[in-house]
Amino acid sequence: MSSSWATIEFMATTSARLLDLLSLLQARRDWPAAVLADRLAISTRTVRRDVDRLRELGYPIAAFKGPDGGYRLEPGSELPPLRFDDDQAVAVAIALQLATTAGAGLAEASVRALTTIRQLMPARLRHRVDLLQVSAIDDRRTPGVDGVDERLLAVGEAIRGTETLRFDYVYESDTRAAAPSGSEPSGPRPPRQVEPHHLVTRNGRWYVVGWEPSRADWRTYRLDRMVLRSPNGPRFTPREIPDGDLNAFVLSRFRGSTDHSGTWPCVGVVILDLPLRAVAPYVDDGSAEPVGTDRCRLRSGAWSWIALAAQLGRFDADVEVVEPPELRQAFAELAARYTRAVG
């Protein structure tokens, strides 16, 4: 009996060591054999045997010669099992979740991959992933550059538990600057109390969308500017986002729309003296169509008419305003302003 238990313990120890070795090989390109032996507290001979075992499992591990001869994990023809640490596993799960909401064209495959990874996770990691129900809003860059920190997990837990968040909000210029959504009182402020409903990522930042009872309004907060207070406030009854469209609502806040359609408040149509191929890469969320071979019609929007006129001026070409009159007036105001600057 003692011999059987010794065999089982040896196999478990060897398997764990193989996983640790695989994790190291995935961490960087080249590993001297002596360094691997030191990190794993084994001999270089045992490292060689463990590398052979990983090769038998399908991992393409190459040996390199020299004074610091060692090993590297190379690309292979098949995808063998991978080893993630806790943070990597959570990051992969969140990325897959974002792919299912961002219209990435791989939604179905992402859902299957997320289900598979979640089933294989230990309970502690499944809990972390389940806390983070996130959505990607009009993302043009890599989402979530702020990382998966404890603050993100705390907000996710509050959303899941329908608990009011208590936090101080730090503005960009200094702690007393005005918020983008309107003027704020000067002097010390009491902590915000917000009913969090959604975690979203847009252009590489995390945001919290919630209902603020003191203002009787929906608000959007940058997570990196929130200083959470403990404990959380009372539980709340979840509300429906305006018009039931989270994407449109968040975009309307960023674009300054007065409704919740997600469209720009100022939209105009112009004809540019440029071919479509020169304009198309810079259309963003507008639209463009050719007018002959050397001109194109562009429909675009901005948060103000002056901003739209200035935005259209970046094309460095003659502009003919089609509609509306407000855009034509904005060009006139800009022309006067630039004339004064020259004078």
Side-chain angles (χ1 to χ4, degrees):
M1 179 69 70
S2 60
S3 175
S4 298
W5 279 113
T7 300
I8 292 173
E9 182 178 359
F10 171 77
M11 292 175 62
T13 302
T14 302
S15 298
R17 191 176 67 239
L18 286 178
L19 290 174
D20 289 339
L21 173 58
L22 178 59
S23 181
L24 290 174
L25 291 171
Q26 291 176 162
R28 76 183 197 196
R29 178 171 172 78
D30 293 336
W31 280 96
V35 176
L36 286 173
D38 183 64
R39 293 288 290 270
L40 297 171
I42 57 178
S43 67
T44 56
R45 188 174 183 179
T46 302
V47 170
R48 185 167 61 252
R49 287 200 302 265
D50 286 350
V51 166
D52 288 339
R53 290 190 180 97
L54 288 176
R55 286 169 175 162
E56 291 173 359
L57 293 173
Y59 293 95
I61 302 174
F64 59 90
K65 301 181 185 270
D68 295 323
Y71 305 95
R72 70 169 63 98
L73 183 62
E74 295 189 333
S77 59
E78 297 180 354
L79 182 65
L82 302 177
R83 171 83 191 276
F84 296 115
D85 61 31
D86 287 5
D87 288 340
Q88 287 175 325
V90 173
V92 168
I94 291 175
L96 288 170
Q97 187 183 144
L98 289 172
T100 68
T101 64
L106 296 173
E108 183 179 348
S110 298
V111 169
R112 294 200 309 271
L114 178 59
T115 301
T116 300
I117 288 178
R118 186 186 177 282
Q119 289 174 340
L120 296 174
M121 284 181 170
R124 69 180 188 280
L125 294 186
R126 285 200 304 272
H127 176 69
R128 291 180 68 185
V129 170
D130 290 345
L131 288 179
L132 297 174
Q133 301 300 313
V134 299
S135 299
I137 304 296
D138 190 38
D139 238 331
R140 295 189 176 91
R141 286 186 288 165
T142 302
V145 296
D146 291 333
V148 182
D149 60 14
E150 295 305 316
R151 180 170 40 189
L152 190 67
L153 296 173
V155 171
E157 189 168 8
I159 293 174
R160 190 174 181 86
T162 62
E163 294 180 346
T164 300
L165 281 176
R166 300 171 61 249
F167 60 91
D168 298 308
Y169 199 65
V170 181
Y171 295 106
E172 190 169 16
S173 57
D174 57 38
T175 57
R176 297 294 176 259
S181 58
S183 60
E184 297 286 338
S186 59
R189 304 186 187 97
R192 299 287 181 91
Q193 298 199 45
V194 174
E195 299 171 358
H197 283 69
H198 299 278
L199 265 174
V200 302
T201 180
R202 181 178 186 269
N203 290 346
R205 293 191 184 280
W206 293 106
Y207 295 87
V208 179
V209 179
W211 173 263
E212 189 162 359
S214 64
R215 291 175 167 81
D217 191 16
W218 288 91
R219 294 289 174 119
T220 302
Y221 302 93
R222 265 178 52 176
L223 183 66
D224 61 317
R225 295 182 182 174
M226 296 170 62
V227 181
L228 300 181
R229 293 200 179 194
S230 183
N232 289 336
R235 295 174 65 91
F236 62 88
T237 301
R239 299 169 180 264
E240 183 73 14
I241 204 77
D243 299 327
D245 190 333
L246 177 64
N247 191 80
F249 170 76
V250 173
L251 287 182
S252 69
R253 288 303 171 102
F254 279 102
R255 295 175 176 178
S257 300
T258 56
D259 56 19
H260 304 304
S261 64
T263 59
W264 291 105
C266 301
V267 178
V269 179
V270 300
I271 294 178
L272 296 173
D273 280 354
L274 285 173
L276 180 62
R277 66 177 181 276
V279 175
Y282 310 102
V283 169
D284 292 331
D285 56 355
S287 61
E289 59 183 7
V291 179
T293 57
D294 298 322
R295 306 178 81 202
C296 68
R297 181 189 302 266
L298 172 64
R299 178 184 178 87
S300 188
W303 60 272
S304 74
W305 294 113
I306 290 291
L308 179 56
Q311 175 180 299
L312 294 170
R314 66 179 175 157
F315 287 104
D316 192 21
D318 286 345
V319 180
E320 176 187 335
V321 177
V322 177
E323 62 178 4
E326 290 85 351
L327 180 56
R328 187 174 292 106
Q329 179 60 34
F331 273 108
E333 292 180 20
L334 273 184
R337 187 176 300 171
Y338 294 159
T339 298
R340 289 194 296 271
V342 173

